[in-house]
Amino acid sequence: MGQVERFVGVSVKLTGFDEGELVATGMAGEYLRVVVERLGAERYGRLAQALEQREPAELGEPADRELLAAARAVTQLWYLGAWPLEPAAVVSARAYEQGLVWRTFDGRAPGTQGAGPGSWALPPQAVARGGAGR
């Protein structure tokens, strides 16, 4: 298994999105680079190993506070396209656009894609389908 594939596997547990959805963002390789750069290879390796052995909720034990913070940061990176820990930063305009937060309600990142003329008059896709989204 390659490093990006391992990162996606770990991210599935953190985000609740499946592997195909995460890969489709096109951000896995760039996010892996950011995570290793910000956390360091050793801490990222411990996080990946911990998540491969446990569920994210089990990281909340006092001895694992550092890993819990790292897990939350990786999760926020996927959802917001921004690294939340110091120094906090938006990874890129593309990361903002590909943030998972928009997919939770079938939305689009404001200012990134036009929905087309008159689209404001249509209900969101999840409402139109009779569902509540993700």
Side-chain angles (χ1 to χ4, degrees):
M1 174 186 304
Q3 291 185 12
V4 173
E5 290 81 11
R6 183 183 191 202
F7 177 67
V8 169
V10 166
S11 296
V12 165
K13 285 189 167 186
L14 293 174
T15 65
F17 281 79
D18 68 33
E19 191 175 309
E21 292 170 314
L22 296 180
V23 169
T25 67
M27 299 305 301
E30 187 170 352
Y31 285 169
L32 173 59
R33 181 190 56 77
V34 169
V35 168
V36 171
E37 177 183 300
R38 299 296 178 99
L39 293 179
E42 189 273 330
R43 188 160 44 154
Y44 166 66
R46 285 192 301 123
L47 174 64
Q49 185 176 18
L51 286 169
E52 289 165 347
Q53 296 171 350
R54 297 181 275 178
E55 294 302 317
E58 297 173 26
L59 294 177
E61 300 169 18
D64 295 325
R65 290 284 181 212
E66 183 178 88
L67 290 184
L68 179 61
R72 287 179 175 158
V74 173
T75 305
Q76 289 182 27
L77 177 63
W78 277 104
Y79 272 85
L80 305 176
W83 184 253
L85 302 177
E86 291 297 325
V90 174
V91 171
S92 66
R94 186 161 187 275
Y96 166 72
E97 180 180 0
Q98 294 299 317
L100 297 179
V101 67
W102 312 117
R103 296 170 192 235
T104 62
F105 58 91
D106 289 329
R108 293 186 174 120
T112 58
Q113 297 176 346
S119 62
W120 55 268
L122 303 172
Q125 292 176 355
V127 174
R129 288 191 308 258
R134 230 177 138 80

